[in-house]
């Protein structure tokens, strides 16, 4: 494992230094192994590991390339890891969302377009006053994804996208068991949209905090 770690660090060094750039093809295995002073086996293991976390793209019959290194691509590994969460860590995921998502919502206040706000309002109207819990949770995910995307920060967007999955079951559970949860969620969505339309970053931040904290508070009381 230590030898493979060394190989990973050497390839990483080439990428960080700019010797290998996004989209570049790596030299042939024998040439790269000799250049880095590695065995071909340890190099092969390092390439396999880096391909799993989307740093490298191994194309059969073509070669190995550095990926685009786009944040959304690299953070796919986070989504993979959080899929292994236990129920007792959902509160921790919600706590992280409560820190990050209000900040992203505040950032979106000055960037989100009127056209997008109109589209989101229309989607809320189409959802109606009494959607099923499953419909509401799906709409909730898309609602927040659209706002965070408008923050203009692709890293923040990818992080929150990866963190939203583990809390989905908790939101469905809440919708099924807590009286008034569906109508409260819809009201909070409209309050967030109103703050965004007013370009009031602090109000948008506050409503987003309330929105996530209400789920967190409910879950804490049920565990």
């Amino acid at each position: 494992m230590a030898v493979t770690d060394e190989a990973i660090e050497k390839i990483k060094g080439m990428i960080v230094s700019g010797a290998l750039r996004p989209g570049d093809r790596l030299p042939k295995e024998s040439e790269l192994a000799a250049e880095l002073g590695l065995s071909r086996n340890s190099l092969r293991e390092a390439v396999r590991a880096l391909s799993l976390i989307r740093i490298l793209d191994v194309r059969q019959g073509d070669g190995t390339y550095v990926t685009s290194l786009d944040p959304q691509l690299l953070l796919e590994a986070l989504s993979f890891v959080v899929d292994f969460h236990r129920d007792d860590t959902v509160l921790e995921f919600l706590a992280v969302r409560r820190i990050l998502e209000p900040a992203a919502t505040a950032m979106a206040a000055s960037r989100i377009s009127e056209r997008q706000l109109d589209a989101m309002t229309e989607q809320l109207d189409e959802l109606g006053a009494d959607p099923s819990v499953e419909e509401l949770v799906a709409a909730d995910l898309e609602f927040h994804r659209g706002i965070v995307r408008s923050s203009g920060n692709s890293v923040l967007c990818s992080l929150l996208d990866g963190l939203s999955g583990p809390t989905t079951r908790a939101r469905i559970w809440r919708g099924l068991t807590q009286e008034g949860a569906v109508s409260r969620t819809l009201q909070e969505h409209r309050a967030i949209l109103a703050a965004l339309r007013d370009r009031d970053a602090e109000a948008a931040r506050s409503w987003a905090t309330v929105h996530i904290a209400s789920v967190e508070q409910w879950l804490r009381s049920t565990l």
Side-chain angles (χ1 to χ4, degrees), residues 29-90:
E29 185 181 273
S30 57
E31 295 174 5
L32 186 58
E35 180 183 342
L36 298 178
L38 300 167
S39 71
R40 293 177 67 170
N41 187 56
S42 62
L43 177 61
R44 202 172 294 128
E45 290 299 321
V47 167
R48 185 177 293 116
L50 290 169
S51 68
L52 287 173
I53 57 172
R54 305 294 192 266
I55 300 294
L56 299 178
D57 178 20
V58 180
R59 304 175 190 174
Q60 293 298 326
D62 186 11
T64 300
Y65 292 78
V66 180
T67 67
S68 65
L69 302 180
D70 180 80
Q72 187 167 2
L73 181 69
L74 298 182
L75 286 168
E76 281 182 9
L78 172 66
S79 298
F80 179 79
V81 170
V82 299
D83 282 341
F84 291 97
H85 80 282
R86 304 182 309 275
D87 286 346
D88 59 357
T89 63
V90 173

Side-chain angles (χ1 to χ4, degrees), residues 11-214:
I11 296 174
K12 174 185 171 183
M14 293 181 72
I15 295 171
V16 172
S17 70
L20 285 172
R21 298 181 180 278
D24 281 356
R25 181 177 178 175
L26 270 64
K28 291 181 179 179
E29 185 181 273
S30 57
E31 295 174 5
L32 186 58
E35 180 183 342
L36 298 178
L38 300 167
S39 71
R40 293 177 67 170
N41 187 56
S42 62
L43 177 61
R44 202 172 294 128
E45 290 299 321
V47 167
R48 185 177 293 116
L50 290 169
S51 68
L52 287 173
I53 57 172
R54 305 294 192 266
I55 300 294
L56 299 178
D57 178 20
V58 180
R59 304 175 190 174
Q60 293 298 326
D62 186 11
T64 300
Y65 292 78
V66 180
T67 67
S68 65
L69 302 180
D70 180 80
Q72 187 167 2
L73 181 69
L74 298 182
L75 286 168
E76 281 182 9
L78 172 66
S79 298
F80 179 79
V81 170
V82 299
D83 282 341
F84 291 97
H85 80 282
R86 304 182 309 275
D87 286 346
D88 59 357
T89 63
V90 173
L91 277 171
E92 295 180 8
F93 284 108
L94 280 168
V96 174
R97 277 193 67 207
R98 179 165 45 81
I99 293 167
L100 297 179
E101 196 159 312
T105 305
M107 291 166 65
S110 62
R111 295 176 171 88
I112 195 167
S113 69
E114 289 292 331
R115 183 177 180 179
Q116 185 174 356
L117 287 168
D118 289 343
M120 295 176 79
T121 300
E122 185 178 339
Q123 287 166 356
L124 267 178
D125 291 342
E126 290 175 355
L127 197 59
D130 191 29
S132 69
V133 173
E134 290 78 10
E135 288 173 336
L136 179 63
V137 171
D140 184 72
L141 287 168
E142 192 54 39
F143 178 85
H144 293 290
R145 187 177 290 121
I147 292 173
V148 172
R149 198 178 293 127
S150 296
S151 72
N153 188 312
S154 60
V155 174
L156 191 54
C157 186
S158 297
L159 274 172
L160 284 166
D161 211 31
L163 290 169
S164 64
T167 64
T168 300
R169 185 164 55 173
R171 282 177 278 177
I172 292 174
W173 184 17
R174 180 196 183 208
L176 290 170
T177 60
Q178 187 183 38
E179 185 177 352
V182 172
S183 61
R184 190 176 301 114
T185 297
L186 293 171
Q187 290 168 5
E188 290 166 357
H189 280 191
R190 291 195 182 278
I192 291 169
L193 281 180
L196 291 172
R197 200 177 287 279
D198 290 341
R199 307 298 171 183
D200 189 334
E202 288 312 307
R205 185 197 306 273
S206 297
W207 275 112
T209 302
V210 167
H211 184 56
I212 299 165
S214 64

